[in-house]
Amino acid sequence: MLNLERLRTLDALARHGSVSGAAEGLHVTTSAVSQQMAKLEREVGQQLLARNGRGVRLTDAGRLLADHAARILSQVELAQADLEAQRGQVAGELRLSAFPTAARGLFPTALAALRTEHPALRLRSCELEPEAGVAGVVRGDLDLAVVLDWYNKPMPLPEGLVKAAVLDDPADVAMPAGHRLADRAEVDLGEFTDDEWITWGEGEFCHEWLMFTLRSLGVEPCVGHRAGETHTQLALVAAGLGVCIAPLLGRDPVPDGVVTVPLRQGVRRHVFVVWRADADRRPSIRAAVKALQTAGRTVRP
């Protein structure tokens, strides 16, 4: 009989591509991963791993069994979801991630409500950028991820995921109080040709969106500073170092010396939550989605 936990270890190795990655994803030590794989090889009577430089790779037999393991684990997930649905109990462990402003603006309200309403549910949350959150759900390291896309740049999602809207998040431009446009009722992105931008890290989805949007308006952006956190960006604006996009979610309090002005383009982020389709019937998933949507309704311009 194949051992389910050893199949889970093999699946993690196939998904993460290394022993250390599998150990991190499974929250165990690297030696525990190696021991589980050695036991699995003895059980099946075939070599599943081979040395590859300083790391390892799956053999043909390893890849074959890993494909079966992914399907078996998906069926186990379905069975667990069906059993939870039949019991109707919101219990067990739920692992969630959110990008930083959603973690700040949604998680305190949503997770506190879940803990109060469902004391048998154990919650584990972390901050992750949208791409990393989606990858974590696909790998099975997370049950839910709060992610985003923009009104003019959707985020592609892999097959096998389900999503639900949480809120539409309006975004303004934040600028120093002495900026030439600070007293305007609204502004156009094309008016910031001569300004330095404070933006997100290179390669991050939000940074790529801003570059794409400005260039589509004929503006070649001058990026002076980068910061992952909205409040760090706003602190740089307060110091007179540039302007930034300031979505409403998780923005308050805006520091002294900073003015936020709505954009004529009606710029919005679409905030949504994603989970695996094979876990769709889990009451804990449904309860968490509802709590996040309720928290989203408290975010008001």
Side-chain angles (χ1 to χ4, degrees):
M1 293 290 291
L2 293 170
N3 180 281
L4 190 61
E5 287 308 308
R6 287 165 203 151
L7 289 179
R8 200 179 302 278
T9 302
L10 175 63
D11 178 65
L13 261 172
R15 290 186 284 105
H16 290 277
S18 68
V19 172
S20 59
E24 183 176 352
L26 294 169
H27 307 291
V28 298
T29 64
T30 54
S31 62
V33 171
S34 299
Q35 290 169 15
Q36 289 283 56
M37 289 305 302
K39 290 176 181 178
L40 186 57
E41 286 183 328
R42 288 197 295 272
E43 287 177 351
V44 301
Q46 296 190 61
Q47 184 179 1
L48 303 175
L49 295 179
R51 288 288 176 190
N52 184 29
R54 299 180 66 180
V56 296
R57 62 173 176 82
L58 293 178
T59 64
D60 289 344
R63 286 194 296 271
L64 176 66
L65 186 56
D67 288 342
H68 283 291
R71 290 193 291 273
I72 290 167
L73 293 169
S74 179
Q75 285 299 121
V76 169
E77 183 82 36
L78 282 169
Q80 291 173 334
D82 285 345
L83 286 170
E84 278 190 33
Q86 187 180 53
R87 289 196 306 266
Q89 295 178 346
V90 179
E93 182 174 273
L94 198 67
R95 301 157 298 169
L96 311 91
S97 77
F99 57 94
T101 50
R104 187 174 192 270
L106 295 174
F107 271 5
T109 301
L111 301 189
L114 281 169
R115 187 173 65 176
T116 299
E117 295 171 16
H118 307 290
L121 183 63
R122 297 187 305 278
L123 298 166
R124 302 288 182 267
S125 71
C126 63
E127 283 188 4
L128 286 176
E129 291 299 327
E131 300 94 330
V134 168
V137 172
V138 170
R139 289 195 307 264
D141 300 337
L142 295 168
D143 299 301
L144 290 163
V146 180
V147 299
L148 65 90
D149 58 23
W150 291 85
Y151 74 108
N152 60 341
K153 192 175 178 63
M155 170 179 278
L157 290 178
E159 290 185 8
L161 296 187
V162 179
K163 72 175 185 177
V166 175
L167 78 151
D168 277 356
D169 185 26
D172 303 330
V173 174
M175 62 192 80
H179 193 277
R180 67 187 186 281
L181 302 175
D183 61 350
R184 295 269 294 275
E186 61 178 14
V187 291
D188 190 289
L189 278 172
E191 296 180 274
F192 294 90
T193 304
D194 299 325
D195 288 274
E196 276 195 274
W197 281 94
I198 299 162
T199 181
W200 298 267
E202 183 74 37
E204 289 188 15
F205 184 73
C206 290
H207 170 78
E208 296 303 319
W209 163 79
L210 181 59
M211 299 300 100
F212 164 80
T213 301
L214 289 172
R215 286 167 180 156
S216 71
L217 296 171
V219 177
E220 184 53 39
C222 174
V223 176
H225 307 278
R226 301 178 187 276
E229 292 280 356
T230 295
H231 284 83
T232 304
Q233 294 183 10
L234 291 173
L236 294 170
V237 173
L241 297 173
V243 301
C244 75
I245 296 293
L248 179 64
L249 180 63
R251 181 173 75 192
D252 290 335
V254 175
D256 293 339
V258 174
V259 173
T260 59
V261 181
L263 281 158
R264 190 172 295 119
Q265 285 91 346
V267 172
R268 288 179 176 270
R269 303 189 299 184
H270 306 304
V271 179
F272 54 99
V273 57
V274 299
W275 64 95
R276 295 186 304 282
D278 56 18
D280 194 44
R281 295 187 63 197
R282 288 177 58 187
S284 55
I285 295 282
R286 292 297 172 185
V289 171
K290 179 182 177 182
L292 288 164
Q293 291 173 330
T294 299
R297 287 194 287 272
T298 68
V299 179
R300 291 288 181 268

